[in-house]
Amino acid sequence: MHTPASINPESDAAANSTVVRDRQGDIRIERLGCEGLPIAIVDNFADDPDQLIAFACEAHFEKIGAFYPGPRARAPSAYMTGVASIVAPVVSALFGGGDSLRLDRALFSIATTPPKELTLAQRFPHIDSVNERAIAIVHYLSQNEFGGTAFYRHRATGFESVSEARHARYLDKLKSDILKFGEPSPAYIAGDTTLFEQIGRVEAKFNRAVIYRSNQLHCAILPNDAPLPVAPREGRLTIASFLTIQ
């Protein structure tokens, strides 16, 4: 097994990280569900989270993509370099393969959409990619209680992850589910549903990150009975990073 020694952004120039930190006490590994899918929960993820929040306060947020329920902005190019000494060995140990990781994007994200305005796709757990070499990281930067990340099993198929080989069947079964049971009411997902069973959850904590394969069914845990502030210092601020093992 080759340890990914660096994280190379697709478009931003970033030097290889030379920082080595003993983080054993901050890293917890869990395996979820029948598929035993691994996730890593890392506390004290960034050296200076307050600086990241300050950067977010000056960033230009806008709608990026059709699925995230709120505005996003590009994280600074140095962000992933700063956490590379944590991410690279964790990814190598959990997911294996490759000599490096390509950073596809890292985005500040603030969930702001009221439950009644959610699209149909936003009312289900989702995947970020069918690529089994794609990795996602959610880094929680809110001091307030807005919820973490939950992972799910699709009841009709038993799938807890959706690979390219499973994708067509999953979509067909999901369509059949909707025809049989109807569309879910406009709301953020809270625990088990008619179509999905929650198999694990990570509680949000300031400067905590969760690392998992992008094809795992998951969703944010968000309140349905409380406002979602827009301001970075007050709202549910995270950095969502998407990487590919090379």
Side-chain angles (χ1 to χ4, degrees):
M1 179 185 296
H2 298 288
T3 300
S6 62
I7 297 177
N8 302 313
E10 192 172 45
S11 57
D12 293 333
N16 292 349
S17 173
T18 57
V19 179
V20 177
R21 287 174 281 185
D22 180 6
R23 301 304 304 274
Q24 186 173 359
D26 292 332
I27 300 172
R28 184 169 82 253
I29 306 301
E30 294 184 5
R31 291 188 176 272
L32 305 180
C34 298
E35 294 181 22
L37 302 170
I39 65 171
I41 302 162
V42 186
D43 289 324
N44 303 309
F45 187 64
D47 282 338
D48 194 348
D50 292 326
Q51 185 180 50
L52 292 170
I53 296 171
F55 190 99
C57 289
E58 300 298 323
H60 173 65
F61 281 80
E62 60 185 333
K63 186 69 175 176
I64 299 177
F67 299 110
Y68 186 77
R72 294 179 133 173
R74 286 174 60 89
S77 59
Y79 167 70
M80 193 55 67
T81 303
V83 297
S85 63
I86 304 170
V87 173
V90 167
V91 169
S92 179
L94 287 188
F95 310 114
D99 295 317
S100 66
L101 298 170
R102 184 186 73 227
L103 174 61
D104 299 314
R105 60 197 185 281
L107 301 170
F108 286 114
S109 307
I110 306 178
T112 59
T113 302
K116 65 181 180 181
E117 296 179 14
L118 292 173
T119 65
L120 179 59
Q122 291 170 336
R123 302 175 214 165
F124 295 114
H126 65 279
I127 61 171
D128 301 311
S129 172
V130 296
N131 184 356
E132 295 184 88
R133 299 176 71 82
I135 305 299
I137 304 172
V138 178
H139 181 191
Y140 308 108
L141 289 171
S142 175
Q143 296 278 14
N144 299 316
E145 294 295 329
F146 288 111
T149 303
F151 297 87
Y152 282 85
R153 174 188 301 118
H154 180 228
R155 295 182 188 274
T157 60
F159 293 163
E160 298 165 356
S161 62
V162 182
S163 63
E164 185 174 3
R166 290 178 168 185
H167 196 217
R169 183 183 174 203
Y170 171 71
L171 292 178
D172 285 344
K173 288 290 188 180
L174 190 57
K175 290 176 184 177
S176 297
D177 286 343
I178 295 170
L179 289 173
K180 181 177 180 179
F181 297 105
E183 296 181 0
S185 301
Y188 288 107
I189 304 163
D192 293 345
T193 74
T194 303
L195 307 186
F196 293 90
E197 177 185 0
Q198 188 179 111
I199 60 172
R201 59 186 286 155
V202 176
E203 300 300 334
K205 179 182 177 182
F206 180 66
N207 203 26
R208 168 177 285 174
V210 57
I211 305 173
Y212 53 93
R213 274 200 175 96
S214 295
N215 71 349
Q216 290 181 231
L217 285 163
H218 66 280
C219 69
I221 303 170
L222 289 162
N224 283 296
D225 56 355
L228 293 169
V230 176
R233 290 191 186 277
E234 299 171 8
R236 187 186 187 272
L237 178 66
T238 62
I239 299 179
S241 302
F242 305 93
L243 307 96
T244 302
I245 300 172
Q246 296 185 299

